[in-house]
Amino acid sequence: MGANSSSISELPENEYLKKLSGAEPISENDPFWNQLLSFSFTTPTNSADLKLLEEATISICKSLVEKNPRTGNLGSLIKVFLSRTKELKISAECQNHLFIWQAHNALFIICCLLKVFISRMSEEELQLHFTYEEKAPGSYGTECEDLIEELLCCLIQLIVEIPLLDITYSISLEAVTTLIVFLSCQLFHKEILRESIIHKYLMHGRCLPYTSRLVKTLLYNFIRQERRPPPGTHVFQQQTDGGGLLYGIASGVATGLWTVFTLGGVGSKPTPQLEQCSPLANQSLLLLLVLANLTNAPDTPNPYRQAIMSFKNTQDSTAFSSSHPHAFQINFNSLYTALCEQQKSDQATLLLYMLLHQNSNVRTYVLARTDIENLVLPILEILYHVEERNSHHVYMALIILLILTEDDGFNRSIHEVILKNITWYAERVLTEISLGSLLILVVIRTIQYNMTRTRDKYLHTNCLAALANMSAQFRSLHQYAAQRIISLFSLLSKKHNKVLEQATQSLRGSLGSNDSPLPDYAQDLNVIEEVIRMMLEIINSCLTNSLHHNPNLVYALLYKRDLFEQFRTHPSFQDIMQNIDLVISFFSSRLEQAGAELSVERVLEIIKQGAVALPKDRLRKFPELKFKYVEEEQPEEFFIPYVWSLVYNSAVALYWNPHDIQLFTMDSG
């Protein structure tokens, strides 16, 4: 890593850091700030780098927490930063490296200090630290300007107004990260924060007019996926072959402070994966998700959520509604492409869910795309690799499918898209299959995985709801998809018989003993019968609406006809079994008439002929199967911990001590 641990350990004794955290107030006009801010470094690429830095400087931070009420040095540092940001836009246009460099360094130090302050005190205490300032003995202090609001507003302006160039990439990233740190007070509370000083500043006052521009900029950062510029290109040339967090001395001004951070410093070379990703895109998306999931204020809804719910396509020329004050326009084609490409991450899947669920403009656009497979395939791959994904990611992917299957046009179009060689599907070689059949295969596989592993009723319900929504539009089902539908029913039938047998044995055993409580087999039986009925309704819906389009399903039904015998007279299934029983009887009769030892091809031919001959009025009509996704009554109880777990686990430019986290346990996070 370059500098060894002994050099890092010298930081607490560094004269400039000791002065910053010392007992003497430092005026914002003191030349000290030029010395403090004259260091050159590559912004940390992972939380491991910052963990080392934080551990090395924790004594400095603690000293500043103790001394700042008397010195106001934190406020002075922030005022220095604010004064240097006033000319940032011009500096970027004029390629003024030195000016941007020092402003970035100031913000980096502020961000590091803020993170420690926020993890160790309440918002009210933090607010006091922003208002402390040096007062002459016997003088009466005037009302101090609200530095928190001024800093928050400055960070937002920096994000939305400074052009993204090589020389501004790091300060743009640091501004986004600092806003996340400001909002991280939620991490240190077990309960969802419904009243927060920081939230109030962001939803009211000077920050509010920037809402739509901030959301738009964060979305475009995600869309563009700009890579981090090579080290040294945005400030000063790196002086040696080291690749660490802090390197060398950029000028002769700060000869004492950063000599401990020679090559490599506390950092390490980024992994190839991190080199390929865009930290600005990652942090921007995380900030967007945090903002969108802030709880509504008592007197006003969350403006960032309103902006996400109402933005439109750049090609949409209709006027903005007055009921959507934070609406804006963005290029939907670019957004769609980014969403398709980034679905391997939880946060991109969560963004897609939010947009489909909350923004009708995005949902309409996505459903109208003729290349819907580019979006659906990554979602199916998430579900296929369910063992490797966390449960929240799987839920989001599944709910996205449920939302899509609410649209009949989607359910028709997916059977018209033919795919070649799905390499990630390992159970069987699929050289050619429709997107619709593949979707059925993956959802059924998810149900079977859930039956044997997690046994989550919520997962079952949503999987079956998606299949039910599609069932009336099943077209030309692949023979393997048809087989898996019947195989799933077979699995459920065996499960039903097993639970029924256990219930019977338990009941017999209980007749001779009143000591032990009975297992609740009745509840288990009720759940499995609900699932069996849903599967029968799905099969029935397909037979009733599109039997002539699905000879492979009729073939699979006939091949496993004995499975359905036990349910013909069952009171829970009698009604729904009428059509299935009729289809089985009708086609069995035609096959018997055709003779014995028929080939598969001949059987399918007879089925196709029979499908035309079967009178449609003989099949009983049932209400259409349609399920709509409905969000929980208090979605923030799920989404806020989820979003913050993504921030915590992203490992890009942020580190929090796991022992300090209160919002979620580290196992579930």
Side-chain angles (χ1 to χ4, degrees):
M1 289 199 332
N4 57 34
S5 57
S6 62
S7 62
I8 295 171
S9 66
E10 294 172 16
L11 275 176
E13 301 305 317
N14 182 272
E15 58 177 300
Y16 292 102
L17 292 178
K18 287 177 73 173
K19 183 172 181 179
L20 175 66
S21 61
E24 293 297 320
I26 308 169
S27 164
E28 58 197 271
N29 299 316
D30 196 302
F32 163 81
W33 300 111
N34 284 329
Q35 299 170 323
L36 176 70
L37 303 178
S38 294
F39 62 90
S40 179
F41 67 99
T42 302
T43 304
T45 57
N46 56 62
S47 58
D49 289 346
L50 272 173
K51 181 175 184 289
L52 291 171
L53 181 61
E54 185 168 308
E55 288 172 349
T57 57
I58 192 65
S59 61
I60 297 291
C61 294
K62 286 180 178 179
S63 176
L64 186 61
V65 169
E66 179 188 344
K67 306 286 177 49
N68 189 63
R70 292 185 294 277
T71 66
N73 284 344
L74 176 63
S76 296
L77 173 59
I78 290 168
K79 288 174 184 176
V80 168
F81 168 71
L82 292 173
S83 69
R84 297 186 185 214
T85 57
K86 291 173 183 175
E87 305 297 331
L88 265 184
K89 193 172 183 181
I90 296 174
S91 298
E93 292 168 356
C94 300
Q95 297 283 305
N96 188 334
H97 291 238
L98 182 63
F99 200 87
I100 296 171
W101 167 53
Q102 289 203 336
H104 169 267
N105 290 352
L107 183 55
F108 176 73
I109 295 174
I110 290 168
C111 186
C112 292
L113 293 173
L114 266 180
K115 199 164 66 61
V116 175
F117 274 58
I118 288 172
S119 67
R120 293 174 177 271
M121 62 185 67
S122 68
E123 283 190 304
E124 290 74 18
E125 291 175 294
L126 178 68
Q127 194 174 32
L128 287 175
H129 274 277
F130 272 74
T131 57
Y132 294 134
E133 60 180 11
E134 182 192 7
K135 294 182 177 64
S139 66
Y140 294 93
T142 58
E143 186 71 25
C144 182
E145 69 269 33
D146 199 326
L147 268 184
I148 291 185
E149 183 174 31
E150 192 171 350
L151 179 55
L152 286 169
C153 197
C154 175
L155 293 172
I156 293 172
Q157 289 172 333
L158 196 159
I159 293 168
V160 303
E161 293 180 353
I162 304 302
L164 188 59
L165 310 168
D166 277 2
I167 61 171
T168 61
Y169 188 98
S170 288
I171 194 167
S172 297
L173 173 59
E174 205 62 49
V176 172
T177 302
T178 306
L179 279 178
I180 294 176
V181 169
F182 255 122
L183 291 160
S184 67
C185 49
Q186 176 64 80
L187 278 173
F188 310 104
H189 291 80
K190 288 184 179 179
E191 304 298 325
I192 301 301
L193 287 180
R194 301 188 185 278
E195 291 187 13
S196 161
I197 294 170
I198 306 301
H199 295 186
K200 182 179 177 182
Y201 285 129
L202 289 170
M203 292 191 192
H204 299 85
R206 295 170 56 189
C207 295
L208 186 61
Y210 293 96
T211 298
S212 58
R213 290 178 66 191
L214 178 59
V215 171
K216 183 175 182 177
T217 302
L218 295 175
L219 274 173
Y220 268 128
N221 285 348
F222 165 70
I223 289 169
R224 288 168 181 150
Q225 293 289 318
E226 293 283 354
R227 305 291 177 88
R228 185 198 301 271
T233 60
H234 58 300
V235 185
F236 290 89
Q237 290 300 316
Q238 191 169 345
Q239 295 171 355
T240 71
D241 294 332
L245 175 64
L246 305 177
Y247 55 82
I249 307 303
S251 74
V253 177
T255 54
L257 175 56
W258 300 114
T259 49
V260 295
F261 280 124
T262 53
L263 323 173
V266 301
S268 57
K269 288 192 175 181
T271 63
Q273 185 178 2
L274 283 171
E275 286 178 339
Q276 291 167 9
C277 76
S278 166
L280 179 60
N282 181 75
Q283 295 295 84
S284 294
L285 179 52
L286 290 172
L287 175 58
L288 181 64
L289 294 175
V290 170
L291 290 170
N293 285 283
L294 297 179
T295 55
N296 293 330
D299 55 343
T300 182
N302 178 345
Y304 302 97
R305 188 180 302 130
Q306 283 189 316
I308 284 177
M309 292 170 65
S310 59
F311 70 80
K312 303 191 303 181
N313 195 354
T314 48
Q315 296 180 350
D316 187 343
S317 58
T318 58
F320 286 112
S321 168
S322 58
S323 61
H324 298 140
H326 304 295
F328 60 89
Q329 289 181 296
I330 201 167
N331 188 311
F332 275 19
N333 183 58
S334 300
L335 176 61
Y336 180 80
T337 301
L339 287 168
C340 293
E341 292 174 350
Q342 300 300 321
Q343 283 307 305
K344 289 185 178 179
S345 75
D346 280 69
Q347 44 266 45
T349 305
L350 180 53
L351 175 65
L352 176 58
Y353 157 78
M354 286 170 50
L355 295 179
L356 288 175
H357 177 54
Q358 298 177 359
N359 190 313
S360 59
N361 300 319
V362 173
R363 185 168 60 252
T364 301
Y365 176 85
V366 168
L367 290 168
R369 292 286 300 208
T370 56
D371 59 347
I372 192 68
E373 68 273 17
N374 291 340
L375 187 68
V376 175
L377 281 172
I379 298 299
L380 294 183
E381 203 168 347
I382 293 168
L383 292 175
Y384 184 81
H385 296 293
V386 59
E387 304 94 336
E388 303 166 16
R389 306 290 181 179
N390 68 70
S391 60
H392 290 354
H393 199 184
V394 172
Y395 281 141
M396 288 300 101
L398 190 53
I399 292 169
I400 286 167
L401 287 185
L402 181 55
I403 292 171
L404 292 173
T405 60
E406 291 171 13
D407 182 76
D408 285 340
F410 171 84
N411 295 331
R412 284 190 297 270
S413 66
I414 55 176
H415 293 287
E416 298 167 2
V417 177
I418 304 302
L419 307 168
K420 306 279 188 180
N421 299 316
I422 307 302
T423 55
W424 49 262
Y425 194 94
E427 279 81 353
R428 180 163 170 157
V429 176
L430 300 175
T431 53
E432 185 173 292
I433 189 170
S434 72
L435 179 61
S437 289
L438 181 63
L439 197 159
I440 292 166
L441 284 175
V442 172
V443 171
I444 287 175
R445 186 180 184 275
T446 306
I447 294 173
Q448 291 180 325
Y449 174 83
N450 187 49
M451 285 176 66
T452 57
R453 306 284 182 87
T454 55
R455 300 183 181 182
D456 187 327
K457 184 181 177 182
Y458 181 80
L459 195 68
H460 259 5
T461 302
N462 284 287
C463 284
L464 291 167
L467 288 176
N469 284 347
M470 293 188 291
S471 59
Q473 308 290 339
F474 283 173
R475 293 289 188 278
S476 305
L477 289 184
H478 191 281
Q479 61 177 9
Y480 185 52
Q483 289 170 17
R484 298 311 296 162
I485 290 172
I486 305 303
S487 295
L488 175 58
F489 185 81
S490 174
L491 189 64
L492 291 167
S493 176
K494 291 175 184 176
K495 179 80 171 173
H496 178 266
N497 293 340
K498 183 179 179 181
V499 173
L500 194 60
E501 184 181 347
Q502 289 173 333
T504 305
Q505 291 177 351
S506 176
L507 188 61
R508 287 173 184 163
S510 68
L511 295 177
S513 172
N514 295 322
D515 298 335
S516 56
L518 283 172
D520 194 358
Y521 288 115
Q523 184 178 354
D524 289 347
L525 203 59
N526 183 54
V527 169
I528 195 121
E529 286 184 356
E530 283 181 11
V531 176
I532 286 174
R533 179 166 181 92
M534 182 78 103
M535 280 302 300
L536 288 171
E537 288 179 343
I538 289 167
I539 294 169
N540 179 71
S541 174
C542 176
L543 297 178
T544 306
N545 292 283
S546 55
L547 182 145
H548 58 293
H549 288 298
N550 292 291
N552 284 326
L553 182 63
V554 177
Y555 184 99
L557 200 63
L558 293 171
Y559 191 75
K560 292 284 188 179
R561 72 190 85 175
D562 294 344
L563 277 177
F564 299 88
E565 190 66 33
Q566 63 175 309
F567 299 107
R568 290 176 62 191
T569 56
H570 195 292
S572 298
F573 313 120
Q574 266 183 319
D575 59 335
I576 205 73
M577 275 298 300
Q578 289 179 18
N579 286 343
I580 297 173
D581 195 34
L582 187 151
V583 168
I584 290 174
S585 300
F586 177 83
F587 284 98
S588 295
S589 173
R590 294 182 73 90
L591 289 174
E592 287 172 9
Q593 293 172 15
E597 298 183 6
L598 301 172
S599 66
V600 173
E601 292 76 14
R602 178 61 183 146
V603 171
L604 285 171
E605 184 182 338
I606 293 169
I607 289 172
K608 290 174 184 177
Q609 293 169 351
V612 177
L614 178 64
K616 301 295 183 289
D617 56 1
R618 291 184 61 185
L619 295 174
R620 178 183 168 186
K621 287 289 183 183
F622 285 85
E624 184 182 12
L625 290 179
K626 271 299 171 189
F627 294 88
K628 190 175 179 63
Y629 169 68
V630 179
E631 202 168 65
E632 299 288 335
E633 287 186 8
Q634 290 186 307
E636 65 272 11
E637 299 290 342
F638 170 84
F639 286 105
I640 290 176
Y642 180 31
V643 168
W644 278 106
S645 73
L646 298 181
V647 176
Y648 177 85
N649 289 313
S650 71
V652 178
L654 282 172
Y655 164 77
W656 283 282
N657 189 326
H659 301 295
D660 294 334
I661 305 299
Q662 298 292 317
L663 181 60
F664 47 78
T665 62
M666 300 323 300
D667 290 337
S668 65

